[in-house]
Structures are given as C-alpha cells and as structure tokens.
Amino acid sequence: CWKPDHISMVVISALYIPTVLVGFPTYLAFMIKRAEDNGTLHNPAFMETWSFAFSRYDPGYKWWESVLTLRRFSIALISVAFDTSLLQAALTIIVLVFLLIWHTHTRPFVSDQIDTLEVFTICGSIFYALAGMLFYP
C-alpha cells in the first residue's frame, strides 16, 4: 500500500469519482430540468441525445435516472469505504430500504410493470445483503 502504483490509482480514483459518478448524474438532471423549463425537452435534437435518460419515466420524474446512478454509486462506495462485511451489509440495507420507500412512494416509471420490477429488484438486493449477514462466518 501507498507505493507509487497505489498512489497513482488513488489519484485516478479521486478524479474519476467526482467527475463520472457524481458529476454525470448531476449534469444529467440539470440538462433535463433546463430542457423542461425552456420547453425543448421534446425537441428532436434533444431527444436524440438525451432520451435514453428520461423516456421511461413519468413527466414529474424525468430526473430519476440520476437517482438510480447515485444508488449504484452509494452501494459501490459502501463496499469500498468500509472494510467490515457486516457493516457493509447493514449500510447497504439501510440505503436500499430508504430507496425502496422512496420508489414505492413515487413510482417514477411510465409502466407499472417496470415500477413493480424495480421494487422486486430492490427487495432482492435487500434479501441478498440480509443473507450475507445471516450466513457470514
């Protein structure tokens, strides 16, 4: 640890995390909000570039893709930042329960089937983390 190879990886990670994992979802939410405000959300040029990020969400939740990206980031961060497996599982469960409650309250997808699938996906991840806690040696 903390040899030249390790230090270079730390520097790259320090640049990557804020730029890609936080910056991109924030920029995405900003672009969608700005397009909604100025009426260009359904402009063909804007749709061609950005529709991948918002076309499956209800009108009030066009920014939800940023939430999904931040969810992935937070779970990855927990697994990297904490070295105890039980603590990682417990924090992951807390994050996922919060997101499950938020998702079931908002139901952001256009399709009810996708909303239901997302609920099952989050529940599956919670049960997976719980099983890891229960069967940890």
Side-chain angles (χ1 to χ4, degrees), residues 53-132:
F54 67 86
S55 61
R56 14 177 219 175
Y57 303 107
D58 285 333
Y61 299 100
K62 299 291 186 191
W63 46 268
W64 195 260
E65 186 67 29
S66 296
V67 172
L68 297 181
T69 304
L70 290 173
R71 177 182 78 189
R72 293 179 202 111
F73 167 69
S74 64
I75 291 172
L77 182 65
I78 288 169
S79 68
V80 171
F82 300 98
D83 60 349
T84 308
S85 298
L86 291 175
L87 180 60
Q88 289 174 348
L91 291 173
T92 298
I93 290 169
I94 291 168
V95 168
L96 289 173
V97 166
F98 170 75
L99 290 168
L100 178 64
I101 292 167
W102 193 12
H103 179 84
T104 55
H105 177 70
T106 58
R107 302 197 54 86
F109 289 99
V110 172
S111 168
D112 288 339
Q113 292 173 329
I114 298 175
D115 279 322
T116 303
L117 181 63
E118 183 69 12
V119 167
F120 281 119
T121 301
I122 296 171
C123 287
S125 297
I126 291 169
F127 289 132
Y128 186 76
L130 278 172

